[in-house]
Amino acid sequence: MVNDQDYVAIFHSIHRVLRAEQLLKQDGVAFLLIPVPRQLTSDCGLALRIAPPHLVAVFAALAAADLLPAELYQLRAGEYAAVAAETVVGSAGTA
């Protein structure tokens, strides 16, 4: 289940999402591997759920490994809103 304000990062292949999971676990970054919510689509079927306080750390680790997600959404009042990954990557560079 995705909580309000949580982010959902979608990768377009199962290999990339599993590599991201492995990398983030090694780095001790907080996230949760979840099925892609029904409102969103993905060929891979799995996504990362990220709580807002951990978003910059997750993106910093993924950017360092050249493993950014293809899509990023935030749940806001029951609706998924697309978020530009570039804005998060910019924040990760300053953290």
Side-chain angles (χ1 to χ4, degrees), residues 12-13 21 25 29 37 44 49 61 65 74-77 79 82 89:
H12 285 179
S13 82
E21 177 191 27
K25 281 184 176 180
V29 181
C44 130
R49 183 183 91 185
Q74 185 178 30
L75 185 62
R76 299 177 188 155
E79 298 287 327
V89 172

Side-chain angles (χ1 to χ4, degrees), residues 43 54 68 88:
D43 293 335
H54 305 290
L68 291 174
V88 179

Side-chain angles (χ1 to χ4, degrees), residues 9-11 13-14 17-18 33-36 42-48:
I10 295 179
F11 297 80
S13 82
I14 191 71
V17 74
L18 292 177
L33 188 66
I34 62 168
V36 173
S42 170
D43 293 335
C44 130
L46 294 173
L48 301 181

